Amino acid sequence: MRVSVRKDRSALSHAPDNWHAVDWRRVERNVRGMQIRIAKATRDGDWRRVKALQRMLTRTLSAKLYAVRRVTQNQGARTAGVDRELWDSPESRWAAVGRLKRRGYKPLPLRRVFIPKANGKERPLGIPTMRDRAMQALYLLALEPVAESTSDPNSYGFRRNRSTADAMSQLFVSLSQKGSAQWLLEADIKGCFDWINHDWLVAHVPMDRGILRKWLKAGLIYKGQLQATEAGTPQGGIISPTLANVTLNGLERELIEHLGAKLGIAKAKKLKVNVVRYADDFVITSDSREVLEQEVRPWVEAFLAVRGLRLSEEKTRIIHIDTGFDFLGWNFRKYSGKLLIKPSKKNVQAFYRKVAETISRNKTVRQQDLVQLLNPMLRGWAQYHSPVVAKQTYSRLDSLIFRRLWAWSMRRHPRKSVQWVRDKYFHSTGTRNWVFAAPIVWKDGSKGLFELYQVSSTTIKRHKKVKGDYNPFDPNWEPYGEQLRQGRMWESMRYRKQWVTLYMSQGGNCAHCGSALMDETGWHDHHLEYRMHGGSDALSNRVLLHPHCHQQVHDGKLAVTKPVLS
């Protein structure tokens, strides 16, 4: 069967001749279009077409440009591999695009480093070279649509528009009702990234097998010695999380099918078996302890054994919901039949130690600099826990941090009085007293106070879970994807007021029908050029529409223009 594949137009006409001449909108549109076609072929089960489209995508100029941009703009762009090479100039990035070729490609060994974990141990990372990272990013573009289209519905780790909050919300759905499951298998895979079987990966991961085998067998260098890699996919590679996800895909779907075949569909449904997974951490619920012990756990162990993995005996346990358990930094427990999700004690203690160490390490810095160091930490941690029952924890943490800051202030001025120290470092703002704040002159020349973020001021708001069937590479899900981004961007942009800017630029009216936007009507954030076609998140590419107008625009494929106020 012949497979017709549309060629990369950017490589045929108006091809750029330097990094600055790249039309990134066209690049993203070309890559996105090919990914959508790969996802469709995957859903249709046409694996020959999937393979042909993947091969074509990895050879296009657009995909190579996209891959180089990704590895040179992420947080690890300034960390070199064993060759000590960095692509930190437009010229080196442009030259790198031409080096992303399959023929003759041989990855270099990884550079082994260790980073501390929350429990005091160290996590090994393997740092690839820039070229190997770019090749991984290139082939990930072709693998991700397949992985997304074949993933379990309640797998939330390292997937687009999915987060730990989604996993938490799904567990709430599974456990919160009076008749919900009462028993749980809290599972922990021992060294997941370190022990995945290479032969299984090469045989089952839908990508170029020759390239994958080279990455897996590249080896690593530690203390000047080359060590072979016989198993596992090293943490640190761009493609490693997706490989781990593909390895564990089927855990939920196949377990439900197994129980239905063995016990009968009706009986299996009554057992209330649900699987919620985030990366290699997962929880399985059931209404019966015996089923978890005699049916579920043996099946899970066999499922993992085929992939070279096994459960950790020390950390894997079967517990009752009234006892409670920790998952992703939260504690889940029923109190008198009511499920409460709170920040776990371990998570709170680890975060407080981090804050205390930051204060202790900066005994001599200016107050303004200390506030600038602490605010992102405090705001980020507080917002992470904002969907759960956290107000009491917030207040307790504020109190502990205040004591640390008071000690920091008194230490700097041992000869001054308590009142003098208070007047210098603590102020009253509104109804609040004892606010740790530094006097500052703002950009407009006005004077004010640069305040420490108050953790207890964070609003508690229930998280709306992503739909399990959502596929970011399916055009039918594009309106839902925009709504999902809208809701989650609203939370992340609460302090940037971008919607206020859009509202003012449109005169408070819908960009489609021209009627007023109000709280009663609601509104949606619409991309003039769809993201699936390469559109950006810039304000110039976005307008606000009524929800019904938004649906009308998508259904009728109508064009919307940016309003111009007279």
Side-chain angles (χ1 to χ4, degrees):
M1 181 183 69
R2 289 179 59 84
V3 178
S4 61
V5 182
R6 185 170 52 192
K7 294 184 178 180
D8 181 17
R9 294 180 179 177
S10 66
L12 298 175
S13 62
H14 304 96
D17 57 3
N18 64 79
W19 187 258
H20 294 297
V22 176
D23 183 349
W24 290 110
R25 178 171 297 182
R26 171 175 285 188
V27 165
E28 293 176 4
R29 183 171 60 245
N30 291 340
V31 171
R32 179 74 175 174
M34 288 291 289
Q35 289 181 316
I36 289 172
R37 297 173 70 190
I38 292 172
K40 183 179 185 303
T42 303
R43 294 193 300 273
D44 294 341
D46 190 346
W47 294 104
R48 288 185 63 187
R49 184 171 178 80
V50 168
K51 186 175 181 181
L53 290 168
Q54 285 182 318
R55 183 169 59 249
M56 176 59 71
L57 177 59
T58 56
R59 295 178 181 181
T60 61
L61 176 61
S62 291
K64 293 177 181 180
L65 287 165
Y66 196 102
V68 172
R69 187 181 68 168
R70 175 171 181 178
V71 301
T72 55
Q73 291 185 356
N74 60 18
Q75 293 183 347
R78 290 179 291 180
T79 304
V82 294
D83 62 354
R84 300 297 175 182
E85 180 182 359
L86 291 176
W87 297 341
D88 51 4
S89 68
E91 292 75 21
S92 60
R93 294 169 187 172
W94 180 251
V97 173
R99 296 170 57 193
L100 301 186
K101 297 179 180 179
R102 186 186 190 282
R103 179 174 295 179
Y105 170 66
K106 184 177 181 181
L108 293 176
L110 307 169
R111 182 164 69 91
R112 173 69 90 196
V113 298
F114 292 88
I115 60 173
K117 296 171 63 176
N119 59 7
K121 298 181 181 180
E122 291 185 323
R123 183 191 307 277
L125 290 183
I127 309 299
T129 64
M130 291 297 295
R131 186 190 181 196
D132 294 335
R133 269 178 260 176
M135 286 291 285
Q136 289 188 17
L138 177 63
Y139 281 85
L140 178 59
L141 290 174
L143 174 62
E144 196 173 17
V146 183
E148 277 291 337
S149 301
T150 56
S151 289
D152 291 326
N154 291 307
S155 164
Y156 299 99
F158 305 112
R159 295 180 63 192
R160 293 195 184 189
N161 292 321
R162 285 172 168 81
S163 65
T164 54
D166 290 308
M168 176 272 296
S169 298
Q170 179 59 31
L171 274 175
F172 182 84
V173 170
S174 302
L175 299 170
S176 60
Q177 300 300 317
K178 186 176 180 180
S180 297
Q182 300 294 307
W183 292 94
L184 308 102
L185 171 64
E186 184 188 6
D188 183 270
I189 300 175
K190 189 170 184 178
C192 177
F193 284 88
D194 298 328
W195 296 106
I196 299 176
N197 184 279
H198 283 181
D199 292 334
W200 190 94
L201 280 173
V202 172
H204 292 87
V205 175
M207 65 168 289
D208 189 307
R209 295 182 179 182
I211 292 290
L212 177 58
R213 193 186 304 275
K214 288 180 180 180
W215 287 335
L216 296 175
K217 300 299 183 182
L220 55 90
I221 291 181
Y222 181 59
K223 294 183 177 179
Q225 298 294 320
L226 176 63
Q227 301 175 7
T229 48
E230 300 299 333
T233 171
Q235 298 184 61
I238 289 176
I239 205 170
S240 294
T242 302
L243 292 179
N245 262 342
V246 173
T247 302
L248 296 175
N249 277 343
L251 179 65
E252 175 183 1
R253 184 176 57 255
E254 293 178 23
L255 173 60
I256 302 300
E257 291 174 356
H258 164 75
L259 293 175
K262 186 168 185 179
L263 305 176
I265 296 176
K267 185 177 180 180
K269 192 172 183 180
K270 290 181 181 179
L271 291 172
K272 301 168 186 173
V273 175
N274 297 287
V275 182
V276 178
R277 179 169 67 86
Y278 188 90
D280 58 338
D281 295 328
F282 60 93
V283 173
I284 303 177
T285 70
S286 177
D287 218 23
S288 167
R289 180 187 181 100
E290 290 71 26
V291 168
L292 290 177
E293 288 178 339
Q294 300 171 15
E295 295 291 342
V296 173
R297 179 164 181 168
W299 184 91
V300 170
E301 290 175 340
F303 176 89
L304 296 176
V306 174
R307 293 154 174 79
L309 303 173
R310 59 192 178 96
L311 295 175
S312 169
E313 293 294 334
E314 306 82 39
K315 298 180 181 180
T316 300
R317 55 182 186 150
I318 296 174
I319 54 175
H320 195 273
I321 188 59
D322 290 345
T323 304
F325 67 99
D326 290 348
F327 185 62
L328 302 176
W330 293 299
N331 178 262
F332 298 73
R333 183 179 175 185
K334 273 192 173 180
Y335 299 82
S336 302
K338 183 177 181 178
L339 179 68
L340 294 182
I341 306 174
K342 304 177 181 180
S344 69
K345 290 183 180 179
K346 182 179 178 181
N347 181 276
V348 176
Q349 290 170 355
F351 178 71
Y352 174 65
R353 283 196 301 269
K354 182 180 177 182
V355 173
E357 289 171 3
T358 301
I359 296 172
S360 179
R361 286 198 307 266
N362 293 278
K363 295 184 176 72
T364 59
V365 302
R366 296 185 307 162
Q367 183 184 16
Q368 178 181 332
D369 296 334
L370 181 60
V371 173
Q372 201 161 1
L373 281 173
L374 292 176
N375 274 358
M377 296 168 53
L378 298 175
R379 183 179 290 113
W381 184 85
Q383 288 181 349
Y384 180 82
H385 293 290
S386 63
V388 303
V389 183
K391 275 295 185 183
Q392 187 175 358
T393 304
Y394 286 166
S395 297
R396 176 61 177 163
L397 193 64
D398 273 338
S399 176
L400 292 172
I401 293 173
F402 168 79
R403 295 180 186 179
R404 283 281 180 173
L405 292 173
W406 178 251
W408 177 89
S409 304
M410 290 295 293
R411 180 187 178 280
R412 294 163 70 92
H413 307 282
R415 299 179 183 275
K416 297 293 185 179
S417 66
V418 170
Q419 187 61 43
W420 188 94
V421 172
R422 173 183 175 175
D423 292 342
K424 180 173 178 61
Y425 294 105
F426 297 87
H427 303 269
S428 297
T429 60
T431 58
R432 295 175 57 208
N433 298 318
W434 290 89
V435 178
F436 189 75
I440 189 173
V441 178
W442 302 109
K443 291 182 179 180
D444 60 2
S446 62
K447 295 182 179 180
L449 292 173
F450 186 33
E451 301 178 24
L452 183 75
Y453 181 77
Q454 185 185 27
V455 175
S456 57
S457 69
T458 306
T459 303
I460 301 296
K461 184 178 179 181
R462 179 70 59 83
H463 178 80
K464 188 174 182 180
K465 188 184 80 70
V466 65
K467 293 182 180 179
D469 294 334
Y470 169 63
N471 186 339
F473 299 102
D474 185 347
N476 294 327
W477 283 99
E478 184 69 18
Y480 175 76
E482 287 195 2
Q483 294 178 33
L484 192 65
R485 283 190 294 271
Q486 165 195 333
R488 299 189 175 184
M489 283 168 56
W490 176 255
E491 294 301 317
S492 64
M493 299 192 313
R494 211 184 290 177
Y495 303 95
R496 287 181 271 179
K497 311 298 183 184
Q498 291 199 11
W499 275 2
V500 175
T501 303
L502 288 175
Y503 184 87
M504 296 297 292
S505 69
Q506 295 176 205
N509 297 323
C510 172
H512 178 61
C513 69
S515 300
L517 293 165
M518 300 178 291
D519 288 336
E520 292 78 9
T521 63
W523 59 85
H524 285 173
D525 191 345
H526 173 71
H527 290 74
L528 300 176
E529 182 173 9
Y530 295 174
R531 284 175 56 87
M532 63 181 290
H533 294 152
S536 72
D537 274 329
L539 289 178
S540 59
N541 189 48
R542 290 156 53 196
V543 291
L544 299 180
L545 305 177
H546 292 120
H548 59 274
C549 290
H550 192 204
Q551 189 66 45
Q552 183 181 3
V553 167
H554 275 282
D555 290 346
K557 299 181 180 179
L558 305 177
V560 180
T561 58
K562 193 82 171 176
V564 178
L565 295 181
S566 55

